[in-house]
């Protein structure tokens, strides 16, 4: 009788395990903002303050991990909804300078000339925010550990929240918050993208903008930023320009006064066969419990070439083939 009971119990457990595996294996058809997102193995996704780039048919999502001495992790997806973990790109052991570092807002671009993936990020050390440096790393393979190059202050400027942008002519730019986050400074990178070549301009001096994200649509570059209130959300703003070096428009509000409880980190053009849509990636930070922070994907729409609108939706369905986001 006891054996029978144990057998039945075993059977039930097996069925439960099989059912859970089936649920995990099933592709998500939409994602729900504000909830915990799991990768295809059922683990929580760690890619905060991240960026994306497309390589072949995959979108790669690379962002802050912060667990167990890992700084930057890599995921990939064909549909922007089901994410497969591919590896850790930068850890405490990658370089002596990283032993007690804090790495934020990593962004990666591909350099066609050198065949290397280059990562720029915000570097701090020892639990403070006083180093205010940029850091650079590279890899031949986007899924494999990156080689750390250095941390430094570009042209001696402080450098905190940042982004990286590669233009269609192959020139890459780094934009970061300087002078205690009062200024946003745009730099042109060297041809190998491993250093800054030129300090180009200061955007809205004294404007106190951070969390920059750049996207180009038609003739215009758009730059989205947040104000400076730490982990707490605030009014997102954007500006547009025909050239990255300006002149830039005035900053205009986007979303509500807390950007629908998000802070900008990246904008992905989803290029389908017939149309291109734009996906806003924001962080819904939990400053007290960092790992409780959520990722938010919102559709971003454009009107009359220069006006853009963020849509506060709970469920997001992305059709990459059609280039549609609902
Ligand atoms: C935010 C910034 C984050 C992080 C945080 C720390 O404003 O965008 O990346 O640095 O402050 O308080």
């Amino acid at each position: 009788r006891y054996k029978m009971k144990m057998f039945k119990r075993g059977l039930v457990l097996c069925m439960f395990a099989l059912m859970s595996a089936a649920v995990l294996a099933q592709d998500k058809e939409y994602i729900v903002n504000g909830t915990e997102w799991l990768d295809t193995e059922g683990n929580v996704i760690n890619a905060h303050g991240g960026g994306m780039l497309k390589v072949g048919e995959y979108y790669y999502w690379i962002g802050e991990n912060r667990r167990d001495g890992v700084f930057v992790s890599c995921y990939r997806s064909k549909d922007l909804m089901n994410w497969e973990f591919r590896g850790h790109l930068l850890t405490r052991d990658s370089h002596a300078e990283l032993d007690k570092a804090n790495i934020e807002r990593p962004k990666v671009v591909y350099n066609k000339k050198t065949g290397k993936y280059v990562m720029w990020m915000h570097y701090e050390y020892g639990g403070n925010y006083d180093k205010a440096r940029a850091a650079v790393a590279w890899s031949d393979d986007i899924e494999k550990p990156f080689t750390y190059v250095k941390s430094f202050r570009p042209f001696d400027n402080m450098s905190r929240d940042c982004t990286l942008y590669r233009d269609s002519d192959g020139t890459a730019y780094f934009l970061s918050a300087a002078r205690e986050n009062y200024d946003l400074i745009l730099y042109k990178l060297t041809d190998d993208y491993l250093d800054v070549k030129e300090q180009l301009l200061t955007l809205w001096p004294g404007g106190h903008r951070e969390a920059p994200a750049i996207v180009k649509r038609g003739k215009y570059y758009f730059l989205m930023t947040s104000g400076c209130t730490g982990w707490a959300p605030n009014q997102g703003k954007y500006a547009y320009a025909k050239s990255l070096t300006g002149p830039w428009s005035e900053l205009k509000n986007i979303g509500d006064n807390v950007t629908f409880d998000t802070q900008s980190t990246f904008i992905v053009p989803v290029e389908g066969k017939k149309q291109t849509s734009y996906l806003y990636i924001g962080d819904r930070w939990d400053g007290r419990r960092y790992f409780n922070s959520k990722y938010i994907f919102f559709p971003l729409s454009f009107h009359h070439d220069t006006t853009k609108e963020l849509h506060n939706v709970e469920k997001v369905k992305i059709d990459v083939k059609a280039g549609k986001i609902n």
Side-chain angles (χ1 to χ4, degrees):
R1 253 247 208 86
Y2 176 73
K3 271 189 188 159
M4 194 60 191
K5 201 170 161 192
M6 290 317 280
F7 175 73
K8 274 189 188 159
R9 195 171 281 176
L11 209 66
V12 169
L13 280 175
C14 270
M15 275 169 64
F16 184 72
L18 280 173
M19 271 159 60
S20 323
V23 167
L24 281 179
Q26 223 167 48
D27 278 357
K28 286 184 203 87
E29 288 183 5
Y30 56 86
I31 44 182
V32 184
N33 279 323
T35 62
E36 188 171 66
W37 291 2
L38 305 180
D39 65 17
T40 49
E41 287 167 43
N43 298 313
V44 174
I45 295 178
N46 288 300
H48 306 276
M52 286 189 192
L53 73 163
K54 203 166 178 214
V55 181
E57 52 186 348
Y58 286 106
Y59 288 91
Y60 279 87
W61 186 9
I62 291 167
E64 297 169 22
N65 184 315
R66 296 195 188 217
R67 280 187 198 273
D68 309 320
V70 176
F71 293 127
V72 182
S73 293
C74 170
Y75 298 82
R76 74 176 185 188
S77 171
K78 283 186 187 171
D79 61 12
L80 291 161
M81 298 181 291
N82 294 278
W83 292 96
E84 185 190 348
F85 171 71
R86 299 303 292 168
H88 299 313
L89 304 186
L90 210 63
T91 71
R92 187 164 53 200
D93 302 324
S94 302
H95 191 273
E97 244 191 26
L98 295 174
D99 62 343
K100 291 187 189 118
N102 181 23
I103 295 297
E104 293 187 345
R105 299 188 175 272
K107 301 287 178 289
V108 175
V109 290
Y110 179 64
N111 187 313
K112 279 189 191 153
K113 278 191 197 150
T114 62
K116 291 185 188 339
Y117 292 91
V118 181
M119 181 190 298
W120 281 66
M121 60 209 115
H122 171 195
Y123 170 94
E124 295 292 350
Y125 191 82
N128 301 315
Y129 276 91
D130 56 1
K131 291 282 177 290
R133 290 190 201 163
V136 191
W138 63 268
S139 176
D140 290 323
D141 184 337
I142 192 169
E143 300 186 358
K144 296 276 156 57
F146 275 53
T147 302
Y148 183 81
V149 182
K150 61 174 177 176
S151 72
F152 69 113
R153 286 189 170 182
F155 295 102
D156 286 335
N157 296 306
M158 294 174 100
S159 184
R160 291 203 180 102
D161 273 18
C162 55
T163 197
L164 197 55
Y165 183 77
R166 190 191 72 187
D167 214 341
S168 49
D169 66 358
T171 312
Y173 300 84
F174 181 65
L175 179 65
S176 76
R179 198 165 65 89
E180 297 292 2
N181 305 338
Y182 275 100
D183 299 341
L184 264 183
I185 301 185
L186 181 72
Y187 306 90
K188 187 190 267 189
L189 300 190
T190 50
D191 288 353
D192 60 9
Y193 302 172
L194 297 175
D195 213 333
V196 282
K197 184 178 186 178
E198 202 181 334
Q199 180 171 335
L200 294 171
L201 90 153
T202 301
L203 292 155
W204 308 289
H208 239 158
R209 306 304 301 168
E210 56 178 21
I214 299 172
V215 75
K216 191 174 186 206
R217 179 181 177 272
K219 287 187 193 137
Y220 292 95
Y221 295 88
F222 288 84
L223 169 62
M224 185 149 174
T225 59
S226 75
C228 298
T229 50
W231 299 116
N234 54 55
Q235 176 70 65
K237 290 181 191 276
Y238 73 94
Y240 55 88
K242 281 191 175 159
S243 158
L244 281 173
T245 51
W248 283 88
S249 71
E250 291 294 293
L251 288 161
K252 296 181 175 189
N253 289 350
I254 186 161
D256 65 4
N257 62 351
V258 286
T259 322
F260 307 130
D261 195 7
T262 68
Q263 188 182 26
S264 43
T265 185
F266 205 76
I267 298 165
V268 191
V270 182
E271 289 173 35
K273 282 202 186 98
K274 289 198 183 135
Q275 66 179 77
T276 299
S277 294
Y278 296 83
L279 182 68
Y280 164 89
I281 303 178
D283 293 290
R284 184 166 288 168
W285 299 114
D286 183 337
R288 287 210 194 123
R289 293 174 301 150
Y290 176 84
F291 296 106
N292 194 38
S293 300
K294 304 291 189 305
Y295 315 101
I296 303 294
F297 287 5
F298 283 149
L300 196 58
S301 64
F302 292 80
H303 315 282
H304 315 297
D305 276 358
T306 55
T307 312
K308 68 178 190 178
E309 195 186 338
L310 194 59
H311 301 274
N312 182 14
V313 296
E314 193 196 357
K315 283 186 188 171
V316 190
K317 194 172 162 67
I318 304 166
D319 181 340
V320 295
K321 289 211 176 85
K324 266 192 183 168
I325 307 170
N326 307 111

